[in-house]
Amino acid sequence: MSSAPPGPPTGAPAPPGPALIAEVRAALAAAGDPERAVGQQRYMKSSMPFRGLTSPALKATLRPILSHAAYDLGHRATWEATVRALWDGAVFREERYAAMAVAGHRRYAAFRDVNTLPLHRYLAQTGAWWDFVDDIASHHVAPVLLADRAGATPVVREWATDDDLWVRRVAILSQLPAKAETDTRLLAHALDANLPGSAFGSEFFIRKAIGWALREFAKTDPQWVRDYVADRELSTLSRREALKHLG
C-alpha cells in the first residue's frame, strides 16, 4: 500500500467513515503476518484472531490513513459512529486497535471531553480484556479527567462501583499518568471500592490494577502510598505491587 492512500473515487464520494474503515481493513490485511498472528492470539488468550502486525507496524500502517484529508471524519457524530462501527465490526484484533487509534487521533482532540466517556465505557465493557482496557484508561479517560475534573470525576467515581469488572479497572487506572495532579480522594475511592471483600475484590485483574495504581503513584508521593497500604487490608498481590520500589 502506498504511503498516501487514495481518496474516494470520483463521482459519488463514499462517506468518510465507511471509506476509512474499508481502507483500514484492507491495509491491515495487506500488512499482516499469519505466522506471527498465531503467536499473538495465543499470547493474548484471544478468541478474536490477529492479523499479525507488531505495534510499530500497526502504527506505521495506520498513520497515513488516519491523517489523510480524504478520511477526515469532520463531525463528532461521524467520528464516534466510525469508532463504534470499526470496533463492533472487527473480525481481527488489530481492527479494534485501529478503532482506538481513531478515537485518540490528534485530529479529533476537540471531541475528547466528558461527552465521550460513555463511548470509552462501552469500549472497555465490550473489549473486556487488559490490552484494550489499559489503553482506554491511560490514554483516553485519563486526559479527559485531567482536563475536566468537575465533569469527569463523578463519572469515574461511579465506574469504581460499576457492575462490570473492566469498567472498574478503568476507574482504578484512570490516574496513572496524573503524577502530581492525582486526585488522592478519587484514587482512594476507586481503590477502597475494590479491596478484598468487594464485588470484584478477589479478581486478579482488579488486584493487579490496585497494585499498579499504587506503585505508579508511589513515584510521586511514596508516603501517601505507604500510609494507604498500612491503613487497608490489601490482597498480597496488591500490597506487593504497591511497595515494589519503596524498599
Side-chain angles (χ1 to χ4, degrees), residues 107-214:
R107 173 177 271 170
Y108 310 112
F111 302 155
R112 297 201 298 275
D113 54 29
V114 292
N115 294 315
T116 67
L117 291 178
L119 170 64
H120 298 318
R121 184 190 185 283
Y122 174 78
L123 299 181
Q125 186 173 22
T126 55
W129 203 238
W130 63 266
D131 56 333
F132 298 135
V133 169
D134 295 359
D135 185 71
I136 290 165
S138 298
H139 299 118
H140 298 269
V141 174
V144 173
L145 184 59
L146 282 169
D148 186 353
R149 289 287 187 183
T153 296
V155 178
V156 175
R157 284 183 63 86
E158 288 186 7
W159 287 2
T161 57
D162 197 86
D163 291 337
D164 185 85
L165 176 156
W166 297 104
V167 175
R168 289 189 182 219
R169 183 171 167 106
V170 171
I172 294 168
L173 299 178
S174 64
Q175 296 195 85
L176 281 180
K179 303 186 187 315
E181 295 183 78
T182 296
D183 178 345
T184 53
R185 292 180 62 186
L186 177 60
L187 177 60
H189 169 76
L191 300 177
D192 289 348
N194 291 284
L195 293 176
S198 65
F200 295 102
S202 63
E203 292 285 346
F204 170 81
F205 287 105
I206 292 296
R207 292 183 288 122
K208 187 75 171 180
I210 290 172
W212 184 10
L214 288 167

Side-chain angles (χ1 to χ4, degrees), residues 1-5 64-65 68:
M1 190 190 72
S2 66
S3 60
I65 302 172
H68 199 284

Side-chain angles (χ1 to χ4, degrees), residues 30-114:
D33 181 337
E35 291 187 11
R36 181 180 289 111
V38 173
Q40 288 176 316
Q41 185 175 4
R42 184 185 306 116
Y43 169 77
M44 197 57 65
K45 300 178 182 177
S46 172
S47 59
M48 183 178 286
F50 280 77
R51 281 294 192 187
L53 282 77
T54 63
S55 181
L58 178 65
K59 291 177 182 178
T61 300
L62 294 176
R63 189 178 300 115
I65 302 172
L66 300 190
S67 60
H68 199 284
Y71 305 117
D72 185 350
L73 300 173
H75 302 286
R76 177 191 288 268
T78 304
W79 165 75
E80 181 167 341
T82 302
V83 171
R84 286 178 178 266
L86 185 52
W87 179 273
D88 289 339
V91 176
F92 296 89
R93 206 165 187 90
E94 288 92 342
E95 293 171 10
R96 286 195 160 177
Y97 297 153
M100 293 169 66
V102 175
H105 195 271
R106 63 183 180 277
R107 173 177 271 170
Y108 310 112
F111 302 155
R112 297 201 298 275
D113 54 29
V114 292

